[in-house]
Amino acid sequence: MTPSPARTAVAAAGLRKSYGDQTVLDGIDLDIPAGTVYSLLGPNGAGKTTMVKILTTLIGADEGRMRILGHDPVREPDAVRAGIGVTGQYSAVDGLLTGEENLRLMADLHRLGRRAGRRRGAELLERFDLTDAARKPAAAYSGGMRRRLDLAMSLVGDPRLLFLDEPTTGLDPRSRRGLWDIIRGLVADGVTVFLTTQYLEEADRLADRIAVLDRGVIAAEGTADELKRRVAGGHVRLRFDTAAGLDDAARLLGGRRDDEALALQVPGDTGVTGLRSLLARLDDAGIAVEELSVHTPDLDDVFLALTGHGAGDGAGTQNPPVHAQRKAA
């Protein structure tokens, strides 16, 4: 694979990384269009955080080629750092500083200047609904507020590419959904998001494309619907007006019948092509269907089928906090 041009935010070919005899990444290819959400799933130790560290210039790959926002991170690390933001698994917020002071610190690291830094901080406090708490110590913030502040700090440099390494771990459902809305807003503004997560629902709700990483290789990649169709368990449920219609359909299609509900569960392809074929067979046989519903496996089924691990095992490798890099001097 040859990395793609400008409209690709992240392109990689043949990435490999080992620690001693342990291979963490074994020939990873990526092609992530700008302005999309790309989610990386995987069990503990799969290599998700190592991938983020390589793509954000924190460590080098042993082999492979990369282009991040059109730049080679090996030869042009400062150019890459100037265009990205990173929110790690652990909050990088300083609890002794106020929210306003945390943002001002990041503005100083990005060398925005006093006036521009204050303006940018005020914009982000308002955007993340933290204005009322701006002058309170961050240690007094709730978990959701600290995570919003952490994300705001990653955006001080106005990055075009944002790496979120399990950003909602430990948040309650309401805070998690609030952060999802913020991420959607960023993407609507043209930001590309590289998301690792242990919450399969999160990837399902947010990601344009999902990759499942296991034992250092990408086991599968596609949209959520494409991945769900790859595992067994998909079926079409047909309901009929009469027992005779159910009988005729069962003889034609097989499947599992529910005589009380006058319904038939037919396993198989639940994509558009499969549905067209199924309906054509019923129509040719003169069998009328009252109601049709499609049931596909969820991402938990996909995760288990591809990795042999349940979703609860996919918490990701634990690493120290990572935050946005300084702009190039």
Side-chain angles (χ1 to χ4, degrees):
M1 169 187 163
T2 301
S4 308
R7 282 301 298 167
T8 297
V10 178
L15 288 185
R16 287 182 169 81
K17 182 69 178 179
S18 298
Y19 294 101
D21 294 334
Q22 182 183 4
T23 299
V24 181
L25 300 176
D26 190 11
I28 301 298
D29 294 344
L30 296 172
D31 194 343
I32 304 174
T36 65
V37 178
Y38 185 90
S39 183
L40 190 65
L41 305 179
N44 282 330
K48 302 187 301 297
T49 298
T50 297
M51 177 91 77
V52 171
K53 286 184 173 183
I54 289 173
L55 296 176
T56 56
T57 77
L58 292 176
I59 61 175
D62 297 332
E63 296 180 33
R65 305 186 308 280
M66 292 176 286
R67 301 290 289 183
I68 311 296
L69 299 174
H71 299 286
D72 182 337
V74 176
R75 298 176 180 175
E76 307 168 277
D78 288 340
V80 172
R81 293 168 189 160
I84 66 173
V86 184
T87 294
Q89 293 176 12
Y90 301 98
S91 173
V93 171
D94 188 326
L96 298 178
L97 301 180
T98 66
E100 189 175 60
E101 289 167 342
N102 270 284
L103 289 169
R104 196 178 305 159
L105 173 62
M106 291 305 297
D108 289 343
L109 291 174
H110 282 279
R111 303 180 183 182
L112 294 187
R114 182 180 179 86
R115 182 176 298 178
R118 287 180 180 274
R119 183 170 61 248
R120 181 63 174 157
E123 291 171 356
L124 289 168
L125 287 167
E126 182 176 358
R127 180 172 190 172
F128 286 83
D129 195 23
L130 292 170
T131 302
D132 291 343
R135 297 188 177 180
K136 295 179 181 178
Y141 286 14
S142 67
M145 291 171 67
R146 286 174 65 88
R147 211 51 173 148
R148 295 204 307 273
L149 178 59
D150 197 29
L151 183 54
M153 291 167 66
S154 296
L155 297 175
V156 168
D158 198 20
R160 290 180 289 144
L161 172 60
L162 185 62
F163 290 88
L164 302 179
D165 194 8
E166 300 188 12
T168 62
T169 297
L171 295 186
D172 61 79
R174 177 175 294 180
S175 297
R176 187 175 301 128
R177 283 171 172 76
L179 202 57
W180 292 353
D181 289 339
I182 290 171
I183 292 171
R184 292 187 185 103
L186 292 171
V187 175
D189 289 342
V191 176
T192 306
V193 174
F194 187 102
L195 170 72
T196 75
T197 180
Q198 61 175 306
Y199 298 111
L200 303 184
E201 181 190 9
E202 187 161 272
D204 205 352
R205 295 284 190 92
L206 293 176
D208 296 287
R209 291 189 69 78
I210 299 169
V212 180
L213 184 67
D214 189 40
R215 296 178 178 88
V217 300
I218 292 180
E221 182 180 9
T223 67
D225 288 340
E226 287 169 349
L227 292 180
K228 291 171 189 176
R229 288 198 293 268
R230 290 184 58 157
V231 302
H235 65 271
V236 177
R237 187 176 186 273
L238 306 169
R239 193 172 66 80
F240 303 89
D241 275 343
T242 65
L246 173 59
D247 291 338
D248 292 341
R251 281 193 295 270
L252 177 67
L253 303 173
R256 188 171 68 189
R257 56 189 293 160
D258 180 344
D259 291 286
E260 184 177 348
L262 295 178
L264 183 68
Q265 182 175 306
V266 182
D269 182 6
T270 57
V272 173
T273 301
L275 288 176
R276 284 176 177 164
S277 176
L278 177 66
L279 293 174
R281 292 180 66 190
L282 290 167
D283 190 53
D284 289 343
I287 302 172
V289 178
E290 176 65 18
E291 184 180 288
L292 178 150
S293 56
V294 176
H295 300 260
T296 60
D298 59 23
L299 281 183
D300 196 37
D301 298 317
V302 174
F303 198 92
L304 182 61
L306 293 174
T307 71
H309 305 273
D313 298 325
T317 307
Q318 300 300 305
N319 283 279
V322 178
H323 224 298
Q325 307 297 308
R326 288 177 181 265
K327 280 192 177 277

